[in-house]
Each structure stands twice: as structure tokens, then as C-alpha cells.
Amino acid sequence: METSTKIQQIAFSDYDGTLVRDGQVDADTLAAIDSWRAKGNAFGIATGRGFAAIQPELERLHIPVDYLVCANGSAVYRADGALLQCTEIPEEDFQTLCDSKFLRDYQDGILFFTRHHAYCYRNAQQLPPNLFEKLNSFDEVKELHHVMQVGTRYASQQEAHDAFTALDAAYPQVFTGNVNRCYLDMNAWGMSKDIGIMQLVEFLHIDVKKVHAIGDDCNDLPMIQRFHGCCVDSAAEDIQKASINVFPTVGKMLRHYQE
């Protein structure tokens, strides 16, 4: 799907915790995606993962998609991997982050997403390690180029928020902190899922009123608020309050808007 005449509506779902729960997608949701697309609609995933860490999982679970908004809006792809848009962390800012105490003093695993690769330093946190290329030293980290996102993990969501507050105080308006559960993803300033979706919507010349979104956590709020979106019923209370509808599954949302 590449032209607005072929797309009636477009729906975006968060991946972890929204579309996929306990490592699986329910059969009704897969059937709903097929039905949604068969009626001339497009289906996309908006995720904090980079392309290299999401595409193998889509193939494993046989999830049909048209577009992928990855790394919290920092990159937009067609399902075949063609890159449509990319906003990287400026090279100088990435080196500043690497030299700062926020990474130098950090002891857990760190994830790095570039346009087409996923890297981990120390460990892959809770994602499958086979999705990542392992970096063995911080010197190798500093040699990375075209970095779109740096991911860290904390003991709680509040600690993740606090970590970014401290980073933002040290380097104002340089990075955006997208928090999901206890994870902090650091992107270029201003990047969030809604920005990536809007870039795709404008590229496809789709009426923004025909855009739907569904998520479950803090980094989904920008797209939920901008597109009058929804959440799944496992989302926290504040996410549910920001949503116009709450659904048990992504499939139920698609059937609702398909009618």
C-alpha cells in the first residue's frame, strides 16, 4: 500500500504488552488484522523496538503489517524494510551521551538501535538476545554510527522517569526520554510515536481522522492523545483515562472501527 486511494483507514498498535502478550498474539486478533486489511485499510505497528528487533518477531508470529514506526517514532519503514523516514541522534550528541556519567556509570545492559541493526552492551535486557549484535567494550559502543535510540533499564518506572529528568537537566532539550514500564529509551529531541505516525500519514496523504492508535504504557500516550486513541484493558489507570475507548485486544478495536 503506497497511495491514499488504496487506504481507507490506518491503525497503529503498540507491540509489547498491547498486540503481543505473554509472547503470543491471540487468533482472533490475527483474523481481525486480515479482515481489516482486506477491506482496504492498512495496519501498522508503533514500537520502541528498532526494525532489527521487531521484524524477526513478526515473522515468527505471522503478524501481517503494512508499516512499522520504530524506535519511538525515530524511523518509519514499509513492511519489506524499506526506510521511509529516519531521525537519528546527532553524532555529537551521541558521543556526549556515551561520555556522560549517565552511561559510563550505568551497570545494566544497554540497547542501541541504528537504521537496520540492533546492538547490546552487556546484555539484551528482557528481549531475545539473538535479535542483537553483542558489543564487547564501550570503545565499540562509541564507534556506532546512525544511532536512533539508546535503551536502559531501571528497577521501576519511577526510577526510569527520574533518570531522564536528571539527564534532561544536564543536557536540556537534547534528548527525548520515552519511558515504557521500567525502561528508558533515549531518542533525538522531540521524537515520539505520534511524530513518526504523522510523518507517515503525511507521506501517504491520509486524513488524520482516519488514523487509529492503541497502546498500553507511557510511551504510547503521545499517539493516544494525538489521534484520540485507545488502550487495552491491562493498561494503567492514567493510560485508560487518556483513551477514548478501552478494548480487551487489538482485534476488538479493529472490528469496532471496521463496522
Side-chain angles (χ1 to χ4, degrees):
M1 292 185 178
E2 280 299 317
T3 66
S4 59
T5 57
K6 294 183 179 180
I7 299 176
Q8 303 302 316
Q9 303 181 81
I10 187 166
F12 293 91
S13 173
D14 169 53
Y15 186 74
D16 296 290
T18 301
L19 181 62
V20 175
R21 301 193 198 182
D22 299 321
Q24 299 296 322
V25 183
D26 64 280
D28 178 71
T29 290
L30 290 174
I33 295 172
D34 286 336
S35 177
W36 173 263
R37 298 175 73 235
K39 292 184 181 298
N41 304 311
F43 181 70
I45 289 177
T47 177
R49 297 192 190 203
F51 184 83
I54 186 73
Q55 184 60 28
E57 292 294 281
L58 299 181
E59 294 177 357
R60 179 179 69 85
L61 295 173
H62 306 290
I63 302 171
V65 300
D66 298 294
Y67 299 101
L68 294 163
V69 174
C70 295
N72 291 294
S74 296
V76 180
Y77 303 83
R78 288 200 313 248
D80 62 5
L83 181 64
L84 302 179
Q85 178 278 330
C86 181
T87 302
E88 300 167 359
I89 298 173
E91 183 73 22
E92 180 179 354
D93 294 339
F94 176 66
Q95 294 299 324
T96 295
L97 182 61
C98 288
D99 290 334
S100 74
K101 65 178 181 180
F102 298 98
L103 285 196
R104 286 291 184 178
D105 294 346
Y106 182 79
Q107 297 300 312
D108 203 346
I110 309 174
L111 307 183
F112 303 89
F113 293 127
T114 64
R115 295 179 180 182
H116 295 288
H117 296 276
Y119 302 89
C120 67
Y121 176 57
R122 295 195 186 95
N123 63 64
Q125 298 176 7
Q126 291 185 346
L127 296 178
N130 61 293
L131 299 177
F132 296 84
E133 300 176 39
K134 188 174 180 57
L135 302 172
N136 296 308
S137 70
F138 219 83
D139 287 338
E140 291 184 5
V141 168
K142 294 197 66 176
E143 291 174 0
L144 294 177
H145 298 285
H146 307 295
V147 176
M148 299 182 301
Q149 180 169 292
V150 179
T152 51
R153 176 176 60 179
Y154 295 86
S156 67
Q157 188 169 92
Q158 186 58 55
E159 286 192 21
H161 280 294
D162 291 345
F164 181 70
T165 297
L167 177 65
D168 190 48
Y171 307 103
Q173 298 187 355
V174 174
F175 306 102
T176 292
N178 286 290
V179 175
N180 175 34
R181 294 175 175 80
C182 60
Y183 300 94
L184 168 60
D185 296 329
M186 290 162 279
N187 304 92
W189 174 249
M191 297 312 301
S192 53
K193 290 184 179 183
D194 66 311
I195 300 299
I197 292 174
M198 274 305 302
Q199 290 172 337
L200 177 60
V201 166
E202 290 171 356
F203 173 75
L204 296 173
H205 305 290
I206 297 175
D207 185 343
V208 71
K209 294 179 181 178
K210 297 181 180 180
V211 179
H212 308 287
I214 185 168
D216 77 317
D217 216 320
C218 297
N219 64 334
D220 299 316
L221 269 175
M223 70 174 183
I224 289 173
Q225 293 170 332
R226 185 162 192 168
F227 302 110
H228 306 289
C230 311
C231 70
V232 289
D233 55 12
S234 58
E237 183 178 353
D238 59 330
I239 309 297
Q240 294 196 26
K241 286 182 177 179
S243 304
I244 62 168
N245 280 307
V246 179
F247 294 98
T249 65
V250 173
K252 297 298 184 186
M253 182 200 77
L254 294 176
R255 295 189 190 282
H256 174 82
Y257 287 114
Q258 187 173 299
E259 296 175 354

mmCIF file of all heavy atoms in Angstrom, residues 175-195:
data_model
loop_
_atom_site.group_PDB
_atom_site.id
_atom_site.type_symbol
_atom_site.label_atom_id
_atom_site.label_comp_id
_atom_site.label_asym_id
_atom_site.label_seq_id
_atom_site.Cartn_x
_atom_site.Cartn_y
_atom_site.Cartn_z
ATOM 1 N N PHE A 175 17.838 15.384 24.275
ATOM 2 C CA PHE A 175 17.278 14.039 24.121
ATOM 3 C C PHE A 175 15.811 14.037 24.550
ATOM 4 O O PHE A 175 15.382 14.847 25.360
ATOM 5 C CB PHE A 175 18.040 13.026 24.985
ATOM 6 C CG PHE A 175 19.525 13.027 24.756
ATOM 7 C CD1 PHE A 175 20.374 13.668 25.657
ATOM 8 C CD2 PHE A 175 20.080 12.405 23.649
ATOM 9 C CE1 PHE A 175 21.750 13.687 25.454
ATOM 10 C CE2 PHE A 175 21.452 12.420 23.438
ATOM 11 C CZ PHE A 175 22.292 13.058 24.342
ATOM 12 N N THR A 176 15.062 13.091 23.987
ATOM 13 C CA THR A 176 13.713 12.806 24.462
ATOM 14 C C THR A 176 13.759 11.483 25.203
ATOM 15 O O THR A 176 14.375 10.524 24.725
ATOM 16 C CB THR A 176 12.711 12.707 23.293
ATOM 17 O OG1 THR A 176 12.566 13.987 22.708
ATOM 18 C CG2 THR A 176 11.351 12.236 23.784
ATOM 19 N N GLY A 177 13.124 11.418 26.349
ATOM 20 C CA GLY A 177 13.058 10.185 27.119
ATOM 21 C C GLY A 177 11.701 9.530 26.967
ATOM 22 O O GLY A 177 10.693 10.065 27.432
ATOM 23 N N ASN A 178 11.645 8.396 26.289
ATOM 24 C CA ASN A 178 10.405 7.636 26.142
ATOM 25 C C ASN A 178 10.435 6.467 27.122
ATOM 26 O O ASN A 178 11.271 5.569 27.001
ATOM 27 C CB ASN A 178 10.259 7.132 24.704
ATOM 28 C CG ASN A 178 9.893 8.247 23.743
ATOM 29 O OD1 ASN A 178 8.784 8.759 23.788
ATOM 30 N ND2 ASN A 178 10.828 8.645 22.884
ATOM 31 N N VAL A 179 9.537 6.511 28.097
ATOM 32 C CA VAL A 179 9.524 5.512 29.173
ATOM 33 C C VAL A 179 8.429 4.483 28.918
ATOM 34 O O VAL A 179 7.284 4.829 28.624
ATOM 35 C CB VAL A 179 9.310 6.184 30.537
ATOM 36 C CG1 VAL A 179 9.171 5.136 31.636
ATOM 37 C CG2 VAL A 179 10.472 7.123 30.851
ATOM 38 N N ASN A 180 8.789 3.225 29.040
ATOM 39 C CA ASN A 180 7.861 2.112 28.885
ATOM 40 C C ASN A 180 8.158 1.114 29.990
ATOM 41 O O ASN A 180 9.249 0.558 30.048
ATOM 42 C CB ASN A 180 8.034 1.463 27.511
ATOM 43 C CG ASN A 180 7.180 0.232 27.337
ATOM 44 O OD1 ASN A 180 6.063 0.150 27.854
ATOM 45 N ND2 ASN A 180 7.706 -0.750 26.619
ATOM 46 N N ARG A 181 7.192 0.933 30.896
ATOM 47 C CA ARG A 181 7.410 0.117 32.093
ATOM 48 C C ARG A 181 8.641 0.656 32.840
ATOM 49 O O ARG A 181 8.660 1.812 33.196
ATOM 50 C CB ARG A 181 7.520 -1.354 31.722
ATOM 51 C CG ARG A 181 6.195 -1.902 31.162
ATOM 52 C CD ARG A 181 6.302 -3.336 30.677
ATOM 53 N NE ARG A 181 4.998 -3.825 30.275
ATOM 54 C CZ ARG A 181 4.421 -3.549 29.103
ATOM 55 N NH1 ARG A 181 5.067 -2.808 28.216
ATOM 56 N NH2 ARG A 181 3.226 -4.008 28.813
ATOM 57 N N CYS A 182 9.653 -0.162 33.046
ATOM 58 C CA CYS A 182 10.834 0.322 33.765
ATOM 59 C C CYS A 182 11.979 0.665 32.815
ATOM 60 O O CYS A 182 13.126 0.798 33.248
ATOM 61 C CB CYS A 182 11.291 -0.716 34.789
ATOM 62 S SG CYS A 182 11.739 -2.316 34.082
ATOM 63 N N TYR A 183 11.672 0.811 31.532
ATOM 64 C CA TYR A 183 12.697 1.064 30.524
ATOM 65 C C TYR A 183 12.704 2.532 30.106
ATOM 66 O O TYR A 183 11.647 3.156 29.961
ATOM 67 C CB TYR A 183 12.467 0.179 29.298
ATOM 68 C CG TYR A 183 12.507 -1.287 29.619
ATOM 69 C CD1 TYR A 183 11.331 -1.977 29.899
ATOM 70 C CD2 TYR A 183 13.714 -1.973 29.671
ATOM 71 C CE1 TYR A 183 11.361 -3.331 30.219
ATOM 72 C CE2 TYR A 183 13.751 -3.318 29.992
ATOM 73 C CZ TYR A 183 12.575 -3.999 30.263
ATOM 74 O OH TYR A 183 12.614 -5.327 30.588
ATOM 75 N N LEU A 184 13.886 3.064 29.891
ATOM 76 C CA LEU A 184 14.062 4.419 29.390
ATOM 77 C C LEU A 184 14.745 4.346 28.036
ATOM 78 O O LEU A 184 15.886 3.886 27.928
ATOM 79 C CB LEU A 184 14.906 5.253 30.356
ATOM 80 C CG LEU A 184 15.404 6.603 29.825
ATOM 81 C CD1 LEU A 184 14.232 7.518 29.442
ATOM 82 C CD2 LEU A 184 16.322 7.277 30.844
ATOM 83 N N ASP A 185 14.035 4.802 27.008
ATOM 84 C CA ASP A 185 14.599 4.896 25.669
ATOM 85 C C ASP A 185 14.941 6.351 25.398
ATOM 86 O O ASP A 185 14.083 7.229 25.534
ATOM 87 C CB ASP A 185 13.604 4.408 24.618
ATOM 88 C CG ASP A 185 13.277 2.937 24.771
ATOM 89 O OD1 ASP A 185 14.164 2.183 25.217
ATOM 90 O OD2 ASP A 185 12.146 2.542 24.432
ATOM 91 N N MET A 186 16.173 6.611 25.009
ATOM 92 C CA MET A 186 16.627 7.968 24.715
ATOM 93 C C MET A 186 16.737 8.153 23.215
ATOM 94 O O MET A 186 17.460 7.424 22.540
ATOM 95 C CB MET A 186 17.960 8.224 25.414
ATOM 96 C CG MET A 186 17.819 8.335 26.935
ATOM 97 S SD MET A 186 19.385 8.134 27.830
ATOM 98 C CE MET A 186 19.539 6.325 27.849
ATOM 99 N N ASN A 187 15.984 9.130 22.721
ATOM 100 C CA ASN A 187 15.923 9.426 21.286
ATOM 101 C C ASN A 187 16.331 10.869 21.032
ATOM 102 O O ASN A 187 16.532 11.633 21.975
ATOM 103 C CB ASN A 187 14.503 9.197 20.764
ATOM 104 C CG ASN A 187 13.997 7.799 21.045
ATOM 105 O OD1 ASN A 187 13.358 7.557 22.071
ATOM 106 N ND2 ASN A 187 14.272 6.872 20.159
ATOM 107 N N ALA A 188 16.412 11.236 19.778
ATOM 108 C CA ALA A 188 16.679 12.632 19.438
ATOM 109 C C ALA A 188 15.559 13.505 19.995
ATOM 110 O O ALA A 188 14.413 13.068 20.131
ATOM 111 C CB ALA A 188 16.783 12.796 17.924
ATOM 112 N N TRP A 189 15.874 14.729 20.288
ATOM 113 C CA TRP A 189 14.913 15.660 20.884
ATOM 114 C C TRP A 189 13.643 15.754 20.027
ATOM 115 O O TRP A 189 13.704 15.936 18.818
ATOM 116 C CB TRP A 189 15.533 17.043 21.046
ATOM 117 C CG TRP A 189 14.553 18.079 21.512
ATOM 118 C CD1 TRP A 189 14.057 19.134 20.803
ATOM 119 C CD2 TRP A 189 13.956 18.156 22.810
ATOM 120 N NE1 TRP A 189 13.181 19.851 21.571
ATOM 121 C CE2 TRP A 189 13.097 19.277 22.808
ATOM 122 C CE3 TRP A 189 14.062 17.384 23.971
ATOM 123 C CZ2 TRP A 189 12.344 19.653 23.920
ATOM 124 C CZ3 TRP A 189 13.314 17.753 25.085
ATOM 125 C CH2 TRP A 189 12.473 18.867 25.051
ATOM 126 N N GLY A 190 12.502 15.597 20.684
ATOM 127 C CA GLY A 190 11.220 15.762 20.017
ATOM 128 C C GLY A 190 10.616 14.507 19.428
ATOM 129 O O GLY A 190 9.477 14.533 18.952
ATOM 130 N N MET A 191 11.333 13.376 19.477
ATOM 131 C CA MET A 191 10.817 12.178 18.832
ATOM 132 C C MET A 191 9.927 11.362 19.769
ATOM 133 O O MET A 191 10.248 11.126 20.925
ATOM 134 C CB MET A 191 11.967 11.300 18.338
ATOM 135 C CG MET A 191 12.820 11.970 17.279
ATOM 136 S SD MET A 191 11.870 12.739 15.945
ATOM 137 C CE MET A 191 10.949 11.326 15.304
ATOM 138 N N SER A 192 8.786 10.954 19.240
ATOM 139 C CA SER A 192 7.848 10.081 19.946
ATOM 140 C C SER A 192 7.001 9.376 18.897
ATOM 141 O O SER A 192 7.046 9.720 17.704
ATOM 142 C CB SER A 192 6.977 10.878 20.925
ATOM 143 O OG SER A 192 6.343 11.955 20.274
ATOM 144 N N LYS A 193 6.223 8.411 19.314
ATOM 145 C CA LYS A 193 5.486 7.589 18.352
ATOM 146 C C LYS A 193 4.550 8.409 17.473
ATOM 147 O O LYS A 193 4.400 8.126 16.282
ATOM 148 C CB LYS A 193 4.704 6.493 19.083
ATOM 149 C CG LYS A 193 5.583 5.418 19.699
ATOM 150 C CD LYS A 193 4.751 4.302 20.315
ATOM 151 C CE LYS A 193 5.631 3.217 20.902
ATOM 152 N NZ LYS A 193 4.836 2.094 21.448
ATOM 153 N N ASP A 194 3.908 9.412 18.040
ATOM 154 C CA ASP A 194 2.968 10.200 17.243
ATOM 155 C C ASP A 194 3.670 10.955 16.116
ATOM 156 O O ASP A 194 3.092 11.154 15.043
ATOM 157 C CB ASP A 194 2.180 11.170 18.126
ATOM 158 C CG ASP A 194 3.058 12.248 18.744
ATOM 159 O OD1 ASP A 194 4.108 11.895 19.310
ATOM 160 O OD2 ASP A 194 2.701 13.434 18.682
ATOM 161 N N ILE A 195 4.906 11.359 16.350
ATOM 162 C CA ILE A 195 5.655 12.089 15.317
ATOM 163 C C ILE A 195 5.925 11.169 14.127
ATOM 164 O O ILE A 195 5.733 11.555 12.957
ATOM 165 C CB ILE A 195 6.980 12.642 15.876
ATOM 166 C CG1 ILE A 195 6.707 13.605 17.038
ATOM 167 C CG2 ILE A 195 7.781 13.326 14.774
ATOM 168 C CD1 ILE A 195 5.885 14.820 16.648
#
